[in-house]
Amino acid sequence: MNWILIEIKNIFRLLVKIVIFEIFELGNKSFSIKNITEIIFLIVLVVFFSRTIKNWMKEWILVNLGIKKGTREAIASIINYIITITGILIVLHNAGIDLTSITVIAGALSIGIGIGLKNIISNFVSGLTILIAQPIKVGDFIKVDDLSGVVEKTSIRSTIIRTIDGIFVIVPNNFLVEQNIINWSHKDSTSRLRIPIGVAYGSDTILVTEALLDAARKEKRVLSNPSPKVWFKGFGDSALNFELLVWIKYPPLTDPIKSSLNFSIDSELRSRNISIPFPQRDLHIRQINDLIPTHQKAELTTVGKNQKNFSNSLIKNQVKTKQNFSKWNLRDLLRQISYFKNCNNIEIRDVIENGYRKIVPRGEIICLEGESGDSFYIILSGSVEVFSEKANKYITTRYAGEFIGEMSLILGITRTASLRATEDTILFVVDRDNLHNLLAKHQRLADKISEELSRRLETLKNLGLLDKQENSQETAMIWIRNRIYTLFGI
């Protein structure tokens, strides 16, 4: 039994000698396995401590300071690297390592390291550039070559991008610095989409404009400000080329929004009997009768007559359908209004671009008293009841050709009354931002609004906007007209 204890002691002494055995010297300091183990342990502690500080700052301190996600990630990463490098240098210094000697050795090996670790150093410097300058940051939606996705993480060596298909791609930092990057989220994530569309020659361009704008405004993810626009791009080989331009707030949804718009565009064009052509070529064969036997000519003549009758019937049906649809055509509805009656097609198209048609069923509330006014309405057909919920009082009824909702926009006050459709009603709605364009180009409408508001002299007095002693309707109209001209730069 004693010999076992002696062997154990001998093994223990041997292990101690191995641990404290001096393996190499660096400067004036000798290093053993024990010294190396202590240094490694302390470095691990420094790395753990720096990462803890990083997470603590990123998830608590910087969040409470209201700093954005991408900036939080950059600040926390830089602090992490500073603490790690500083901590490692302190550990090495306390271990007795002469940092000057390390510098000399590093200088001697710099050429070899520079050649062998060229890409690593390049990525390191690029990573610092990205973290400090922040051309891209965590949460940004970017496009690099054919790669589109959201930046998930940026480190010293690489950046992780999650594509719209949910695939994580690791991209070296030097690639991001050297390439042209489209950053959809830089400063403002609002971006514009372009939807090209071709329609058949002979199509009514005003109807095409109306159809495309209706499709855009039915998509809830499309912004109303800036408002959608339609551009006539040119005359193609087989089609009139248009382009629908819409603004969106969240670029990662570009593909779903485009798909939804394409469905809506197809539906709107079909409802107006506007066809989308396909490329075609006409082939003309001369003296074809000489190639056809006599007994077949009669058959072809009969078939031709049947096809002609069918074609005439189809054209009649299409004309009838268009005539039925014209009752709901926004252009024709607008031309029934006195101040748009004499507008040419170009002017009418401009009006349509600054507003949209809204069908309100009977009994539906259009807007409520006390709400902020953000829309101006022209009644195209039907009628609208104006009433006060606070006073529980009926005020008046507005009919086709009249406008409503103008007081809140012009005077900068909340809605003074509620509006309700008394029958199925069609409204032409103009948002606040588009009213400027509309009034600037149609001064007759601005004058008409001035005249109408001046008739509501008593309402203006009750609001305290006019002196009680100013009983002249002319005074009120001049005041309102001047306010409109100043407000909308007319």
PDB file of all heavy atoms in Angstrom, residues 335 337-344 347-348 444:
ATOM      1  N   ARG A 335     -67.167  66.129 -65.606  1.00  0.00           N
ATOM      2  CA  ARG A 335     -67.610  67.124 -66.586  1.00  0.00           C
ATOM      3  C   ARG A 335     -69.049  67.566 -66.342  1.00  0.00           C
ATOM      4  O   ARG A 335     -69.517  68.523 -66.946  1.00  0.00           O
ATOM      5  CB  ARG A 335     -67.453  66.563 -67.988  1.00  0.00           C
ATOM      6  CG  ARG A 335     -66.000  66.682 -68.476  1.00  0.00           C
ATOM      7  CD  ARG A 335     -65.875  66.465 -69.943  1.00  0.00           C
ATOM      8  NE  ARG A 335     -64.529  66.824 -70.402  1.00  0.00           N
ATOM      9  CZ  ARG A 335     -63.855  66.144 -71.311  1.00  0.00           C
ATOM     10  NH1 ARG A 335     -64.387  65.075 -71.847  1.00  0.00           N
ATOM     11  NH2 ARG A 335     -62.645  66.542 -71.683  1.00  0.00           N
ATOM     12  N   ILE A 337     -69.828  68.644 -63.467  1.00  0.00           N
ATOM     13  CA  ILE A 337     -69.636  69.713 -62.494  1.00  0.00           C
ATOM     14  C   ILE A 337     -69.290  70.994 -63.245  1.00  0.00           C
ATOM     15  O   ILE A 337     -68.455  70.986 -64.160  1.00  0.00           O
ATOM     16  CB  ILE A 337     -68.506  69.345 -61.502  1.00  0.00           C
ATOM     17  CG1 ILE A 337     -68.764  67.947 -60.897  1.00  0.00           C
ATOM     18  CG2 ILE A 337     -68.397  70.385 -60.407  1.00  0.00           C
ATOM     19  CD1 ILE A 337     -70.077  67.809 -60.171  1.00  0.00           C
ATOM     20  N   SER A 338     -69.888  72.096 -62.848  1.00  0.00           N
ATOM     21  CA  SER A 338     -69.791  73.337 -63.625  1.00  0.00           C
ATOM     22  C   SER A 338     -68.351  73.799 -63.825  1.00  0.00           C
ATOM     23  O   SER A 338     -67.965  74.204 -64.919  1.00  0.00           O
ATOM     24  CB  SER A 338     -70.611  74.438 -62.933  1.00  0.00           C
ATOM     25  OG  SER A 338     -70.116  74.666 -61.609  1.00  0.00           O
ATOM     26  N   TYR A 339     -67.511  73.756 -62.769  1.00  0.00           N
ATOM     27  CA  TYR A 339     -66.155  74.285 -62.908  1.00  0.00           C
ATOM     28  C   TYR A 339     -65.200  73.335 -63.599  1.00  0.00           C
ATOM     29  O   TYR A 339     -64.033  73.652 -63.791  1.00  0.00           O
ATOM     30  CB  TYR A 339     -65.576  74.707 -61.541  1.00  0.00           C
ATOM     31  CG  TYR A 339     -66.121  73.974 -60.355  1.00  0.00           C
ATOM     32  CD1 TYR A 339     -65.595  72.772 -59.931  1.00  0.00           C
ATOM     33  CD2 TYR A 339     -67.192  74.515 -59.643  1.00  0.00           C
ATOM     34  CE1 TYR A 339     -66.113  72.120 -58.837  1.00  0.00           C
ATOM     35  CE2 TYR A 339     -67.721  73.857 -58.551  1.00  0.00           C
ATOM     36  CZ  TYR A 339     -67.182  72.663 -58.143  1.00  0.00           C
ATOM     37  OH  TYR A 339     -67.710  72.010 -57.067  1.00  0.00           O
ATOM     38  N   PHE A 340     -65.644  72.141 -63.990  1.00  0.00           N
ATOM     39  CA  PHE A 340     -64.823  71.227 -64.794  1.00  0.00           C
ATOM     40  C   PHE A 340     -65.446  70.993 -66.169  1.00  0.00           C
ATOM     41  O   PHE A 340     -64.913  70.228 -66.967  1.00  0.00           O
ATOM     42  CB  PHE A 340     -64.654  69.881 -64.091  1.00  0.00           C
ATOM     43  CG  PHE A 340     -63.937  69.956 -62.773  1.00  0.00           C
ATOM     44  CD1 PHE A 340     -64.448  69.328 -61.643  1.00  0.00           C
ATOM     45  CD2 PHE A 340     -62.753  70.650 -62.648  1.00  0.00           C
ATOM     46  CE1 PHE A 340     -63.792  69.403 -60.427  1.00  0.00           C
ATOM     47  CE2 PHE A 340     -62.094  70.731 -61.439  1.00  0.00           C
ATOM     48  CZ  PHE A 340     -62.614  70.103 -60.326  1.00  0.00           C
ATOM     49  N   LYS A 341     -66.584  71.642 -66.432  1.00  0.00           N
ATOM     50  CA  LYS A 341     -67.366  71.346 -67.629  1.00  0.00           C
ATOM     51  C   LYS A 341     -66.580  71.604 -68.901  1.00  0.00           C
ATOM     52  O   LYS A 341     -66.676  70.853 -69.878  1.00  0.00           O
ATOM     53  CB  LYS A 341     -68.642  72.178 -67.609  1.00  0.00           C
ATOM     54  CG  LYS A 341     -69.624  71.820 -68.709  1.00  0.00           C
ATOM     55  CD  LYS A 341     -70.917  72.590 -68.540  1.00  0.00           C
ATOM     56  CE  LYS A 341     -71.930  72.205 -69.610  1.00  0.00           C
ATOM     57  NZ  LYS A 341     -73.205  72.947 -69.446  1.00  0.00           N
ATOM     58  N   ASN A 342     -65.815  72.685 -68.938  1.00  0.00           N
ATOM     59  CA  ASN A 342     -65.111  73.082 -70.159  1.00  0.00           C
ATOM     60  C   ASN A 342     -63.655  72.620 -70.199  1.00  0.00           C
ATOM     61  O   ASN A 342     -62.879  73.082 -71.046  1.00  0.00           O
ATOM     62  CB  ASN A 342     -65.168  74.606 -70.315  1.00  0.00           C
ATOM     63  CG  ASN A 342     -66.597  75.107 -70.471  1.00  0.00           C
ATOM     64  OD1 ASN A 342     -67.402  74.463 -71.140  1.00  0.00           O
ATOM     65  ND2 ASN A 342     -66.904  76.237 -69.845  1.00  0.00           N
ATOM     66  N   CYS A 343     -63.270  71.742 -69.286  1.00  0.00           N
ATOM     67  CA  CYS A 343     -61.879  71.243 -69.264  1.00  0.00           C
ATOM     68  C   CYS A 343     -61.646  70.296 -70.437  1.00  0.00           C
ATOM     69  O   CYS A 343     -62.502  69.464 -70.763  1.00  0.00           O
ATOM     70  CB  CYS A 343     -61.592  70.516 -67.961  1.00  0.00           C
ATOM     71  SG  CYS A 343     -61.527  71.592 -66.518  1.00  0.00           S
ATOM     72  N   ASN A 344     -60.481  70.397 -71.054  1.00  0.00           N
ATOM     73  CA  ASN A 344     -60.129  69.432 -72.090  1.00  0.00           C
ATOM     74  C   ASN A 344     -59.619  68.148 -71.457  1.00  0.00           C
ATOM     75  O   ASN A 344     -59.510  68.036 -70.231  1.00  0.00           O
ATOM     76  CB  ASN A 344     -59.097  70.024 -73.061  1.00  0.00           C
ATOM     77  CG  ASN A 344     -57.823  70.471 -72.341  1.00  0.00           C
ATOM     78  OD1 ASN A 344     -57.380  69.827 -71.398  1.00  0.00           O
ATOM     79  ND2 ASN A 344     -57.235  71.567 -72.799  1.00  0.00           N
ATOM     80  N   GLU A 347     -56.583  68.512 -69.108  1.00  0.00           N
ATOM     81  CA  GLU A 347     -56.927  69.132 -67.823  1.00  0.00           C
ATOM     82  C   GLU A 347     -57.708  68.172 -66.937  1.00  0.00           C
ATOM     83  O   GLU A 347     -57.482  68.099 -65.730  1.00  0.00           O
ATOM     84  CB  GLU A 347     -57.726  70.412 -68.076  1.00  0.00           C
ATOM     85  CG  GLU A 347     -56.902  71.532 -68.706  1.00  0.00           C
ATOM     86  CD  GLU A 347     -57.752  72.718 -69.112  1.00  0.00           C
ATOM     87  OE1 GLU A 347     -58.954  72.518 -69.406  1.00  0.00           O
ATOM     88  OE2 GLU A 347     -57.221  73.844 -69.137  1.00  0.00           O
ATOM     89  N   ILE A 348     -58.633  67.425 -67.547  1.00  0.00           N
ATOM     90  CA  ILE A 348     -59.403  66.430 -66.777  1.00  0.00           C
ATOM     91  C   ILE A 348     -58.483  65.359 -66.219  1.00  0.00           C
ATOM     92  O   ILE A 348     -58.626  64.915 -65.068  1.00  0.00           O
ATOM     93  CB  ILE A 348     -60.495  65.796 -67.663  1.00  0.00           C
ATOM     94  CG1 ILE A 348     -61.659  66.762 -67.811  1.00  0.00           C
ATOM     95  CG2 ILE A 348     -60.995  64.479 -67.064  1.00  0.00           C
ATOM     96  CD1 ILE A 348     -62.484  66.970 -66.563  1.00  0.00           C
ATOM     97  N   ARG A 444     -61.009  78.833 -60.868  1.00  0.00           N
ATOM     98  CA  ARG A 444     -62.464  78.953 -60.780  1.00  0.00           C
ATOM     99  C   ARG A 444     -63.007  78.172 -59.594  1.00  0.00           C
ATOM    100  O   ARG A 444     -63.959  78.599 -58.943  1.00  0.00           O
ATOM    101  CB  ARG A 444     -63.107  78.436 -62.077  1.00  0.00           C
ATOM    102  CG  ARG A 444     -62.936  79.372 -63.269  1.00  0.00           C
ATOM    103  CD  ARG A 444     -63.493  78.738 -64.523  1.00  0.00           C
ATOM    104  NE  ARG A 444     -62.778  77.511 -64.852  1.00  0.00           N
ATOM    105  CZ  ARG A 444     -63.160  76.667 -65.812  1.00  0.00           C
ATOM    106  NH1 ARG A 444     -64.253  76.901 -66.504  1.00  0.00           N
ATOM    107  NH2 ARG A 444     -62.455  75.590 -66.068  1.00  0.00           N
TER     108      ARG A 444
END
